[in-house]
Every structure is written in C-alpha cells, then in structure tokens.
Amino acid sequence: MSSTVGPTSTLAPGEAARETLDRAALERVWSTPPGFLGWLTSASHKSVALRYIVTAFGFFALGGVLAALMRLQLTRPESRLIGPDLYNQIFTMHGSTMMFLFAVPVMEAFGIYLVPLMIGTRNVAFPRMNNFGYWIYLFGGLMLWTAFALDIGPDTGWFAYVPLSGPAYSPGKRVDIWAQLITFTEIAALVAAVELIVTTLKMRCPGMSLNRMPLFVWAMLVTAFMVIFAMPAIMVASTMLAMDRLVDTHFFNPAEGGDALLWQHLFWFFGHPEVYIIFIPATGFVSTIVSTFARRRIVGYPAMVLALIATGFLGFSLWVHHMFAVGLPQLGEAFFTAASMMIAIPSGIQVFCWLATLRGGRIVMRAPLLWALGFIALFVIGGLTGVMTAAVPLDLQLHDTYFVVAHFHYVLIGGALFPLLGAVLFWLPKMCGRMPDERLGRVSFWITFVGFNLTFFPMHLLGLGGMPRRVYTYARDAGLTTGNVVASAGAVVLTAGILVFLANVAWTLRRGAPAGDDPWGAETLEWATASPPPSYNFAYLPTVDGQAPLWSTQERPVVTGLRTDVREVLITDGVDATPDHRHRLDGASVWPFLTAVAATIGVVTALFTPWGVTIGSLLALVTLTGWFWPRGAPAHETVEQRP
Amino acid sequence: MSQRALDVSALPTIAYGPRASIWWGVLGLVAIEGSALAIVGVSYLYLRQNFVAWPPPGTPLPALGAATGDLVVLLASIVPMAIVDRLARAERRRPVAIGLGVMVLLGLASLALRALQFAGALGCRWDSHAYGSVVWTLLGMHAAHVLTSTLENALLMAVLVVGPVERKDFVDAHVNAFYWYFIAAVWVPTYALVYLAPRFL
C-alpha cells in the first residue's frame, strides 16, 4: 500500500506518519454510514456498483430460470407442460429481463466500479445521482417481476411490436407494465451514462491524457455515448405506446393515420445500438484481460480506440436490418446490408489486435484469460452468422427462425457473458480482496463452453429446418425433435457450468486466499491501491505518464494538497488531464432514495391513470427540493452577501 | 515529499463553463432531451407521409398568435438569463436572485402561452388523429422542459434568498442558464416544424 505509483516507491519516515494521518482523515470523510441507513443513502461508487452487480446477477438468475423453463417445454414435441399464454409471458420476460435488467445494467455497473479507480480518482462525478439510478433500476425490476408473479407479465416480446401490443390486441395491463419497465431502465441507464461520461472526461488523474486512457475506460465512454443517443428513441417509442394505450393517441393506429412501422423504426434505432451497448464494454474486459495475461500492452492501441468509436457510429446505421421482412424499398435495404457488413471491419480489427497481442506475448494461462479466449471463438461464430443474415435474401429465409436465436445468443452470451464472467474472476480479487479458485474457474469455463455450444449450435440447424421463434411447441412429425433434445440437454450442462462458476464466487468470498494489491501483475491504476480499495480509493491521487502506469519503472509523483476534511476531488482538463480545480462532491443522502420512491409511485400510478405523471412529478418536486436544499456546507464554501 | 508531489492546494474550488463537471452533466441532459425532441420531430415527418392533407381535413392550420408570442418570450428571455449568467460568475447574490425571479415570470408567461396553444390554437385534440397526437406530444415535451427549468430557477432563487448560500449555488445558476438557452433555442425548430412547415412545405 504505497503512496506512489510504480514499483520503486519508498517513503521517508515522516511521510509514512503523515500518510497514516491522512488516511484516517479520509476514511472519516469518505466512509459510508454503517447499517441499513448507509445502504439506502450511500454515495460511494463502489458500494452502489456492487449492489448493481449483485442485483443484476439476481435478475440474470431469474432470466435463466425462464430460459430453463422454455427448454423444458421444447424438449418434447406437442408438450402441454406450459400453455401458449404463459409461454408468451416467459419469453417476453426472459428477453426483457436479460436485456434491460441484466446485460446493460451489469456492464454499466462494472464501469461505475472500475472507471474511477482506473482513472485515479475518488468517486464518480455525481454520487447521489448514481445512487438514485440504482434505486430506479431496482424498483423497475421489482415492478416487472411482481407483475409476472400476478400473471400480468408482458407477453408481446421484448420488442413489443404494434399492432399486437396496441390497445386493440393487448387489452389489460401487461404491455403497460412493459412500457413502464422501459421508463425505469431508461432513466437508470441514462443516469449511469452521464455519470460515466463526466467522470471520464473531467476526473482523470494528472497526466492521463485521452491517448493514455485504459481501453476499458474508452469502451465505457463509447458505450455511454451510445446510451445517450440510443435510449431516447425507446423512451419516445414506449411513451407513445403507453399514450396510445392510456389516453387514446394514434401514433401506431393506421385507422387514424398512425403507423405500425414507426414503432419498428424507433425500437430498432434503439435496439440495434443496444447490442453494442452490451458488447463494447465486453471488448473492454477482453482487452484488459488479454493484455494482463499476455504480459504486454495491447497491440495497436490507436486502432483499438478508433475501432471502438467506429463501432459506436456504425451501430446507429444498422437498425433496418431487423426490418428486411417488412417490405422496405430495396435501395434502402441494400444500404443497410452494406452498413451491416461494414461493422464487421472494426470488430475484425479488434479481434486481430487481440490475436496479435497474444501471439507476441508471454502468455500466462489463467481462468480469466480462458473466458476471454472463449469469447473470441464464440464471437467470431456469432459475427459470421450476423454477416450471413445481413444479406437480404438469406435474411428473408431465416427471419423469425431459430437461426436468429442461435445468432444473437452467440453474440450476446459468447460476446458479452463470457467476457463478463472472465471479468468477474479477474476483478473479484480487487472487489473482495480474495483470490478465486483457479481450478474451479477453469472447470466452470469448460462446462459452460461445452454446454453453451450444445445448447445453441443446434438452433442454427433448427432454424434452417424451419423452426419458428416464439412458438410454444412444434409438431411431432416436423423433424425438429432431435435438435431440441440436444439443445435442452445442452442447457442442463450450461446451467451446471454457471452453477460451478457461482460456487467459485461464493467460495472466494468466504475462503479465498488473500489477494494483495495486484495479484495478476496488471497494468492499470485500480491495482495500485488495496484490495478491496479503501472508501477514498487512493491516499494520494496518482499521476501517470503512459498507458500502463503499473508497468512503468519510473517513479511518479502523487497529488497532494486535496482537502482531507471534505469530499474533495481533483477536476482536470478533458483532453490533457492537466489539473484544473478542486471540487467538493456531495456525500451520503436519503433524498435520492426518496426521489426514486416518488418517481416509482408516479410511474406505477400511470399504469392506471395519466394523473400518475402529475402525482409523481409533484412528489418528485418535494424530494428534489430536499435533495438540493443546502445544509451544513463547510464554512469556507458559504458566501457573505455581496450586494 | 516535495520532489515526488504535485501540490494542487493552490487551485481554485469553483469553475464555470466546460471547466466545471456539472456543466458537462447538463450538456449530457441537453443531448438526451435534444435527441428525444429530434426523434419526435422525425416521427412527425414520418407520420405526415400517411396523410394526403396535413393537417388532416377538418383540422385547421395551427393558429400562429400564441405560438409566435411564445417564440418572442422565449427568445427575449435569453437576455435576462445571460445577465443572470454573468452576475452569477461575479457571485452577486441579490441580483442573481432577482434575475432568477424575472426568469420564473418569463417561464410562466411561456407556459401560459403554451396553454393557449393547447386550448385552441392547435385546433385538434391529442386523440383526434395521428397528427393531433404528434403535435401535442412535441409541444407537451417542450413545455415539460420549460416547466422543469422554471421550477429549477424558482428553487435556486429560494436558496439564494433563504441561504446559507454556497459558492457552488452560483455555478448552479450558471448551468441553469445553459439549460435555458437550449430550451429557448430548441423552440425555434419546434415552432418552425409545427407552425410554419404545414403552411410553406
């Protein structure tokens, strides 16, 4: 636990004593209040992020149970185990849970935990907003699952196409629940995105110019920008849908000039970038893991950064490839085919950079790297089937079949879940201070890898054989039984792999060997502090002079002169990260939680009456006033009246 | 520690504009709300393709009076807001509070003119047809921003009057101004789309 970054730092005796005093002062100021109140009010990026991660994995488990139920149903042809109505709810809940309550939040949560540590600061830019975002996310998830438990779970798919989801064909509250789930998760995602952008641009430690930023931080920055420009589309669309259903607007009602295809455009203008919102953070995990265990910096850092940014832009020009079957002009389809194929270029650049890094590295084969390598293999397969479906004639044949299910599970599980599980193993020592078991890590990887392929590879063939998606059963003589039996058997193996993984995590938390500051010999700043990091992250903020600060042999100065009696952070220039000013962050407060409660009351009431919006706004006005009302600022920051 | 330390104790504790993190937070908000308005604007043009006449037969062209008054109020309000912005940077407590009071009144005036647009000038209801749905939504979304910002100005004014006042409250007044410029400016294309385009395009 040294106060400088770099391997050669030493402290003079007087400095050691001063550091002890500073640490004690910082701990008093930055620590989260203990107990239940601390849990409600925390303004620590680490405790909020850990809650986010645990909650997201809770929803992952629920979504996984639904997947298991679907596999159970489809194991036999003409099964009567689950009826069509419940099956519709199950696949809708599975998709909505995995996309909105697991994949996006868990990636942003890793960003919220890691970005401040990686860029060498004490917290995120808006700690109370961060806490608010978590509660909104949790309440949205609870609303969805409560509704499902009451048999009013949404049942029109995670994409909720009109006219099926409109007032004429889906009376009742099921689709309204879905639309309001979007409201919750979109608020939470946008809060986290703004949080990550501002933290990244304004709080990097001195010396960390943009061209020295870790690739994971770049990945989160691009992701956060994508969230900001993609989420408004679904926010607008779901609001239009809710209004069509609740106050008789006609956005999607053709009888009054509305348009069902408008929904598809708006949904996929969000929905396609969403895939990259999930995938790009995963590439950040992979870059970090590959570089650590190849013992060298990533080959082609500028190419990697440009590939991330290119993916961010191109991700917005692909949405129509989800709509090839609706009969759009062929010229437009050709454009989107070209764009869809073009996105393979930046993805390919990244894959080749990882391979080149590994090829010339001194590889240390550890479990996190295994997950990253598994990702590369599976993502290439998923990417190739993506290029296949980008071709309009093939897409028309494969649309709405299990081929597409196979494709996007390769992309999402192979492309995002594998790196995520690798990331869990990789950063678990930092988060809890204990080492995961290497053997269990490897065993769980191989079981999961085999189970995953066994489950999803046959779905390519089922799709080619004509099995439609989202149908609760299939005929005995359709020739689909074998593939489905294999897929269901694979699901059992896959589940076993995940359970072994979770057992490893549980074992690590209780029994893992102490990790120390930097057990993997990694290069980025989160490993320059204790595991788990203290509430203030660093006793003295670091400075850097290169991309791999911990691999530098040069001793670097640390930042001094930040106050230790208030939550003060250093704000730096957005490009060069030169120190600009000192800034006091807000501390723990119960108002973000109360504001989330107010918003939840409003949104849930709006399921039944448009007055919910008014009620929620008035309640939020009260809580926001409490939130921002000044109370007990330190004397040096208050001002006398100067007329 | 002098040789290995970068002492930042002499740096200021307050900054305005792009130097301040909250300015970037508000820029994020502007990007989100700008995108949302743009998407509704695009939806407006998309839905228009379904109509032979726009507005549909039986619905008059939206009357210009109240909306143009709204345009004048919002554009004019940029001046007092810019003055508040400058006074805030000078950390002048009472003048900033008074200026924010003026801004609250101008915000209320804009909302009153907006109410007139809903009550009569549009000539249709949100549930009349898709045209009605989308113009009500465009105007309603923008009105929600005007209302939000007006409430923020009122709250900040109350803080400045009651106290204790912190230096960061002036940064808040400054970013409120930034947000208000966006709201006033974005009314220009919204107004042009809803009120002028059906007449001239």
mmCIF file of all heavy atoms in Angstrom, chain A residues 499-519:
data_model
loop_
_atom_site.group_PDB
_atom_site.id
_atom_site.type_symbol
_atom_site.label_atom_id
_atom_site.label_comp_id
_atom_site.label_asym_id
_atom_site.label_seq_id
_atom_site.Cartn_x
_atom_site.Cartn_y
_atom_site.Cartn_z
ATOM 1 N N LEU A 499 -23.462 -22.755 -12.445
ATOM 2 C CA LEU A 499 -23.540 -23.036 -11.001
ATOM 3 C C LEU A 499 -22.141 -23.248 -10.418
ATOM 4 O O LEU A 499 -21.846 -22.775 -9.314
ATOM 5 C CB LEU A 499 -24.437 -24.255 -10.743
ATOM 6 C CG LEU A 499 -25.933 -24.002 -10.982
ATOM 7 C CD1 LEU A 499 -26.732 -25.294 -10.766
ATOM 8 C CD2 LEU A 499 -26.451 -22.899 -10.052
ATOM 9 N N VAL A 500 -21.281 -23.959 -11.150
ATOM 10 C CA VAL A 500 -19.906 -24.130 -10.664
ATOM 11 C C VAL A 500 -19.222 -22.771 -10.555
ATOM 12 O O VAL A 500 -18.511 -22.482 -9.586
ATOM 13 C CB VAL A 500 -19.109 -25.071 -11.599
ATOM 14 C CG1 VAL A 500 -17.647 -25.150 -11.160
ATOM 15 C CG2 VAL A 500 -19.729 -26.458 -11.619
ATOM 16 N N PHE A 501 -19.472 -21.921 -11.548
ATOM 17 C CA PHE A 501 -18.895 -20.574 -11.519
ATOM 18 C C PHE A 501 -19.337 -19.825 -10.266
ATOM 19 O O PHE A 501 -18.535 -19.230 -9.544
ATOM 20 C CB PHE A 501 -19.310 -19.800 -12.780
ATOM 21 C CG PHE A 501 -18.706 -18.428 -12.858
ATOM 22 C CD1 PHE A 501 -17.502 -18.226 -13.495
ATOM 23 C CD2 PHE A 501 -19.337 -17.335 -12.267
ATOM 24 C CE1 PHE A 501 -16.930 -16.972 -13.555
ATOM 25 C CE2 PHE A 501 -18.773 -16.073 -12.318
ATOM 26 C CZ PHE A 501 -17.566 -15.890 -12.963
ATOM 27 N N LEU A 502 -20.667 -19.871 -10.008
ATOM 28 C CA LEU A 502 -21.197 -19.146 -8.846
ATOM 29 C C LEU A 502 -20.663 -19.743 -7.549
ATOM 30 O O LEU A 502 -20.383 -19.023 -6.578
ATOM 31 C CB LEU A 502 -22.729 -19.154 -8.868
ATOM 32 C CG LEU A 502 -23.347 -18.357 -10.024
ATOM 33 C CD1 LEU A 502 -24.870 -18.492 -10.013
ATOM 34 C CD2 LEU A 502 -22.952 -16.880 -9.955
ATOM 35 N N ALA A 503 -20.499 -21.073 -7.538
ATOM 36 C CA ALA A 503 -19.936 -21.716 -6.346
ATOM 37 C C ALA A 503 -18.521 -21.204 -6.105
ATOM 38 O O ALA A 503 -18.110 -20.955 -4.961
ATOM 39 C CB ALA A 503 -19.939 -23.238 -6.533
ATOM 40 N N ASN A 504 -17.786 -21.017 -7.194
ATOM 41 C CA ASN A 504 -16.427 -20.478 -7.076
ATOM 42 C C ASN A 504 -16.459 -19.073 -6.459
ATOM 43 O O ASN A 504 -15.673 -18.759 -5.562
ATOM 44 C CB ASN A 504 -15.776 -20.445 -8.465
ATOM 45 C CG ASN A 504 -14.287 -20.128 -8.402
ATOM 46 O OD1 ASN A 504 -13.694 -20.103 -7.330
ATOM 47 N ND2 ASN A 504 -13.696 -19.870 -9.554
ATOM 48 N N VAL A 505 -17.404 -18.262 -6.940
ATOM 49 C CA VAL A 505 -17.506 -16.904 -6.391
ATOM 50 C C VAL A 505 -17.837 -16.967 -4.904
ATOM 51 O O VAL A 505 -17.213 -16.274 -4.074
ATOM 52 C CB VAL A 505 -18.565 -16.088 -7.156
ATOM 53 C CG1 VAL A 505 -18.813 -14.751 -6.466
ATOM 54 C CG2 VAL A 505 -18.131 -15.866 -8.600
ATOM 55 N N ALA A 506 -18.807 -17.822 -4.543
ATOM 56 C CA ALA A 506 -19.196 -17.944 -3.133
ATOM 57 C C ALA A 506 -18.012 -18.412 -2.297
ATOM 58 O O ALA A 506 -17.749 -17.895 -1.202
ATOM 59 C CB ALA A 506 -20.372 -18.918 -3.000
ATOM 60 N N TRP A 507 -17.279 -19.395 -2.832
ATOM 61 C CA TRP A 507 -16.112 -19.915 -2.108
ATOM 62 C C TRP A 507 -15.066 -18.811 -1.923
ATOM 63 O O TRP A 507 -14.475 -18.650 -0.855
ATOM 64 C CB TRP A 507 -15.522 -21.098 -2.898
ATOM 65 C CG TRP A 507 -14.316 -21.695 -2.227
ATOM 66 C CD1 TRP A 507 -14.308 -22.680 -1.284
ATOM 67 C CD2 TRP A 507 -12.951 -21.318 -2.450
ATOM 68 N NE1 TRP A 507 -13.024 -22.943 -0.898
ATOM 69 C CE2 TRP A 507 -12.162 -22.121 -1.594
ATOM 70 C CE3 TRP A 507 -12.323 -20.389 -3.267
ATOM 71 C CZ2 TRP A 507 -10.774 -22.033 -1.541
ATOM 72 C CZ3 TRP A 507 -10.939 -20.290 -3.222
ATOM 73 C CH2 TRP A 507 -10.186 -21.103 -2.369
ATOM 74 N N THR A 508 -14.866 -18.031 -3.002
ATOM 75 C CA THR A 508 -13.871 -16.957 -2.940
ATOM 76 C C THR A 508 -14.204 -15.957 -1.838
ATOM 77 O O THR A 508 -13.344 -15.538 -1.072
ATOM 78 C CB THR A 508 -13.816 -16.219 -4.297
ATOM 79 O OG1 THR A 508 -13.622 -17.176 -5.320
ATOM 80 C CG2 THR A 508 -12.704 -15.197 -4.323
ATOM 81 N N LEU A 509 -15.487 -15.575 -1.765
ATOM 82 C CA LEU A 509 -15.893 -14.563 -0.801
ATOM 83 C C LEU A 509 -15.618 -15.014 0.625
ATOM 84 O O LEU A 509 -15.272 -14.213 1.493
ATOM 85 C CB LEU A 509 -17.375 -14.231 -0.972
ATOM 86 C CG LEU A 509 -17.764 -13.573 -2.298
ATOM 87 C CD1 LEU A 509 -19.266 -13.352 -2.379
ATOM 88 C CD2 LEU A 509 -17.028 -12.246 -2.495
ATOM 89 N N ARG A 510 -15.751 -16.352 0.872
ATOM 90 C CA ARG A 510 -15.560 -16.842 2.237
ATOM 91 C C ARG A 510 -14.143 -17.330 2.492
ATOM 92 O O ARG A 510 -13.553 -17.054 3.531
ATOM 93 C CB ARG A 510 -16.522 -18.010 2.502
ATOM 94 C CG ARG A 510 -17.962 -17.587 2.507
ATOM 95 C CD ARG A 510 -18.883 -18.791 2.427
ATOM 96 N NE ARG A 510 -20.102 -18.527 3.177
ATOM 97 C CZ ARG A 510 -20.278 -18.893 4.429
ATOM 98 N NH1 ARG A 510 -19.334 -19.565 5.071
ATOM 99 N NH2 ARG A 510 -21.405 -18.600 5.051
ATOM 100 N N ARG A 511 -13.568 -18.051 1.530
ATOM 101 C CA ARG A 511 -12.345 -18.795 1.817
ATOM 102 C C ARG A 511 -11.154 -18.414 0.957
ATOM 103 O O ARG A 511 -10.070 -18.930 1.166
ATOM 104 C CB ARG A 511 -12.610 -20.297 1.586
ATOM 105 C CG ARG A 511 -13.668 -20.891 2.475
ATOM 106 C CD ARG A 511 -13.037 -21.451 3.744
ATOM 107 N NE ARG A 511 -14.048 -21.665 4.762
ATOM 108 C CZ ARG A 511 -14.846 -22.730 4.795
ATOM 109 N NH1 ARG A 511 -14.721 -23.665 3.888
ATOM 110 N NH2 ARG A 511 -15.750 -22.856 5.733
ATOM 111 N N GLY A 512 -11.364 -17.577 -0.052
ATOM 112 C CA GLY A 512 -10.284 -17.313 -0.999
ATOM 113 C C GLY A 512 -9.014 -16.815 -0.316
ATOM 114 O O GLY A 512 -9.084 -16.138 0.711
ATOM 115 N N ALA A 513 -7.873 -17.133 -0.902
ATOM 116 C CA ALA A 513 -6.599 -16.663 -0.343
ATOM 117 C C ALA A 513 -6.514 -15.149 -0.492
ATOM 118 O O ALA A 513 -7.030 -14.593 -1.458
ATOM 119 C CB ALA A 513 -5.441 -17.327 -1.080
ATOM 120 N N PRO A 514 -5.883 -14.457 0.464
ATOM 121 C CA PRO A 514 -5.748 -13.002 0.347
ATOM 122 C C PRO A 514 -5.079 -12.633 -0.971
ATOM 123 O O PRO A 514 -4.150 -13.286 -1.419
ATOM 124 C CB PRO A 514 -4.865 -12.636 1.545
ATOM 125 C CG PRO A 514 -5.013 -13.769 2.503
ATOM 126 C CD PRO A 514 -5.275 -14.994 1.679
ATOM 127 N N ALA A 515 -5.609 -11.564 -1.590
ATOM 128 C CA ALA A 515 -5.163 -11.259 -2.947
ATOM 129 C C ALA A 515 -3.984 -10.302 -2.988
ATOM 130 O O ALA A 515 -3.162 -10.364 -3.893
ATOM 131 C CB ALA A 515 -6.327 -10.668 -3.743
ATOM 132 N N GLY A 516 -3.900 -9.394 -2.037
ATOM 133 C CA GLY A 516 -2.893 -8.339 -2.163
ATOM 134 C C GLY A 516 -3.348 -7.297 -3.174
ATOM 135 O O GLY A 516 -4.403 -7.434 -3.793
ATOM 136 N N ASP A 517 -2.526 -6.249 -3.337
ATOM 137 C CA ASP A 517 -2.942 -5.146 -4.188
ATOM 138 C C ASP A 517 -3.092 -5.553 -5.653
ATOM 139 O O ASP A 517 -4.031 -5.165 -6.328
ATOM 140 C CB ASP A 517 -1.913 -4.003 -4.118
ATOM 141 C CG ASP A 517 -1.903 -3.339 -2.756
ATOM 142 O OD1 ASP A 517 -2.638 -3.825 -1.870
ATOM 143 O OD2 ASP A 517 -1.167 -2.359 -2.585
ATOM 144 N N ASP A 518 -2.134 -6.319 -6.157
ATOM 145 C CA ASP A 518 -2.056 -6.538 -7.607
ATOM 146 C C ASP A 518 -1.718 -7.992 -7.910
ATOM 147 O O ASP A 518 -0.613 -8.312 -8.347
ATOM 148 C CB ASP A 518 -0.982 -5.606 -8.195
ATOM 149 C CG ASP A 518 -0.913 -5.705 -9.707
ATOM 150 O OD1 ASP A 518 -1.830 -6.300 -10.317
ATOM 151 O OD2 ASP A 518 0.064 -5.191 -10.283
ATOM 152 N N PRO A 519 -2.671 -8.905 -7.673
ATOM 153 C CA PRO A 519 -2.342 -10.329 -7.788
ATOM 154 C C PRO A 519 -2.004 -10.774 -9.212
ATOM 155 O O PRO A 519 -1.297 -11.749 -9.392
ATOM 156 C CB PRO A 519 -3.621 -11.018 -7.296
ATOM 157 C CG PRO A 519 -4.705 -10.024 -7.513
ATOM 158 C CD PRO A 519 -4.074 -8.688 -7.305
#
